[in-house]
Amino acid sequence: MQRIFSGIQPSGIPTLGNYLGAIRNWVALQADHDCIWCVVDLHAITVWQDPESLRRATREMTAVLLACGIDPEAHIVFPQSAVRAHAQLAWIFNCIARLGWLTRMTQFKDKAGKDRENASAGLYVYPNLMAADIHAYHATRVPVGDDQRQHLELANDIAQKFNHDYGVDFFPAIEPLILGPAARVMSLRDGTRKMSKSDPSDQSRINLNDDPDTIALKIRRAKTDPEPLPADAAGLEGRPEARNLLGIYAALAGTDHAGVLRDFAGGGFGRFKEALAALLIEKLSPISAETRRWLDDEAAIDAVLRDGAARAATIADPIVREAERLVGFLRL
Ligand code: TYM
């Protein structure tokens, strides 16, 4: 069975983008893979986090994953900082990756913004840590949203250069799994920008803990254009907001853009938005109820994470020890 690894940052309540682009696919992939799901707190501190909020967000993110159907017994869920192998391998990868590769990363450019000199060094080497996350487990498949594509290409470049530099075939190639009609969920206020936890406008996103009234209001206010819905998917060209809302509907209903248009072609956005809000509420309400249930029992969440970390370490430690031997460290 192929091993899967993926991660999510504990930096606030996950959005519909995280859910449709990642978590929902993770749940489905559990049926026929060995999966390792990581709450990446080391990545979170590449930008300032209040320590107490980070602890809370790590538990909240875990609660959401469990509420969505991540299975912590058949698979592994753990916080990144609890398995030392990630940071150890990341250091080796810092010495493999070239500055030029990192400078090309669009996410660094976006996140660092204009004040690049003031970004943390951690933010710059962030993709090396991501590569270490995956390669520490010899994972071969990585389900992510479209925004992580470039980071996974870099993870493959790093593995190839490591293998080449040390004359080995140690780290396998990884296959990105970028799945479904919602691999890139866009902001509800601007169909050309990614839906993100860090967008200053809460109206731009659906949070997984939004209540039904909030969801209905955000969808009603979501930006659209004045045209009716087109007859077919080709008619979505140049209409980013319409494409985005249809993609969300399609992902939730288990169909594609064309499938949604079979029901809504030629209509206005009013009826479609009502149906979309109802579908979102139907799918998300059980998740937020189950998240609250988990959050009432912090000890149970911590037990899941502790057990996951111990099992993750038994896989990662020997792999990273071997990488250290290959680079020439004494094994005393
Ligand atoms: P993060 O925490 O930003 O996002 C977690 C997952 O959600 C996906 N995602 C989206 N998908 C579709 N539309 C959106 N608007 C949207 N926003 C987020 C992301 O693509 C991601 O799959 N660096 C990663 C976490 C990470 C990781 C890893 C992933 C750390 N180590 C190793 C894979 C393998 C991140 O910040 O994800």
Side-chain angles (χ1 to χ4, degrees):
M1 217 186 293
Q2 296 212 56
R3 181 173 288 151
I4 281 193
F5 181 99
S6 200
I8 189 161
Q9 292 198 54
S11 46
I13 296 293
T15 67
L16 184 65
N18 297 128
Y19 179 62
L20 295 179
I23 304 171
R24 202 166 147 275
N25 300 326
W26 298 4
V27 172
L29 288 162
Q30 293 183 131
D32 47 7
H33 292 84
D34 273 334
C35 302
I36 301 172
W37 310 122
C38 187
V39 182
V40 295
D41 49 1
L42 299 179
H43 277 110
I45 63 161
T46 55
V47 295
W48 162 255
Q49 305 289 331
D50 169 67
E52 214 33 68
S53 309
L54 178 61
R55 269 185 280 275
R56 190 176 58 246
T58 302
R59 292 195 177 103
E60 269 171 8
M61 182 56 77
T62 308
V64 169
L65 294 179
L66 297 169
C68 288
I70 292 297
D71 178 347
E73 281 165 21
H75 303 278
I76 292 178
V77 184
F78 73 103
Q80 191 183 25
S81 61
V83 177
R84 301 287 161 187
H86 293 249
Q88 291 164 336
L89 185 59
W91 177 256
I92 294 177
F93 286 175
N94 284 343
C95 303
I96 298 281
R98 307 290 91 184
L99 285 188
W101 300 359
L102 295 170
T103 307
R104 280 196 290 278
M105 293 294 113
T106 54
Q107 200 159 87
F108 174 74
K109 291 185 206 163
D110 288 351
K111 283 201 181 169
K114 291 204 171 59
D115 195 9
R116 235 198 241 203
E117 295 294 305
N118 203 26
S120 75
L123 191 66
Y124 193 61
V125 295
Y126 177 115
N128 297 344
L129 175 59
M130 215 173 129
D133 295 341
I134 301 162
H135 292 307
Y137 298 87
H138 278 175
T140 49
R141 312 189 91 188
V142 184
V144 287
D146 189 59
D147 60 329
Q148 299 298 319
R149 188 188 293 275
Q150 199 187 26
H151 288 160
L152 297 190
E153 285 164 9
L154 187 90
N156 270 330
D157 291 344
I158 289 175
Q160 246 178 36
K161 183 162 163 54
F162 181 98
N163 290 344
H164 173 269
D165 288 359
Y166 293 102
V168 292
D169 188 14
F170 186 60
F171 290 117
I174 57 177
E175 179 195 354
L177 301 178
I178 298 171
L179 305 165
R184 194 171 189 85
V185 178
M186 309 309 278
S187 158
L188 299 178
R189 309 302 300 166
D190 175 352
T192 63
R193 292 171 60 87
K194 186 180 77 163
M195 180 181 286
S196 163
K197 289 175 238 180
S198 53
D199 192 311
S201 163
D202 192 56
Q203 295 296 313
S204 71
R205 62 180 162 262
I206 304 283
N207 305 305
L208 288 195
N209 66 348
D210 280 345
D211 60 38
D213 288 346
T214 308
I215 292 175
L217 190 67
K218 285 180 176 175
I219 294 297
R220 221 176 302 131
R221 287 193 181 151
K223 186 174 170 204
T224 51
D225 57 44
E227 302 296 317
L229 288 163
D232 54 32
L236 291 169
E237 197 57 45
R239 301 180 65 185
E241 284 83 16
R243 168 179 291 282
N244 186 40
L245 295 180
L246 260 80
I248 293 172
Y249 191 105
L252 291 168
T255 177
D256 55 12
H257 289 95
V260 183
L261 285 171
R262 271 196 285 281
D263 290 335
F264 294 98
F269 278 99
R271 184 172 78 88
F272 171 70
K273 280 182 162 183
E274 260 175 48
L276 174 59
L279 188 57
L280 275 164
I281 291 163
E282 177 198 322
K283 300 285 181 189
L284 299 189
S285 295
I287 295 176
S288 72
E290 187 63 9
T291 303
R292 280 195 298 278
R293 206 185 60 74
W294 271 103
L295 284 172
D296 282 343
D297 192 353
E298 243 176 42
I301 296 176
D302 289 2
V304 163
L305 292 175
R306 200 175 306 114
D307 172 66
R311 284 157 57 218
T314 62
I315 304 172
D317 287 349
I319 293 174
V320 174
R321 255 201 310 279
E322 178 60 8
E324 290 177 337
R325 193 188 67 78
L326 289 171
V327 305
F329 297 165
L330 285 179
R331 299 271 52 115
L332 299 171

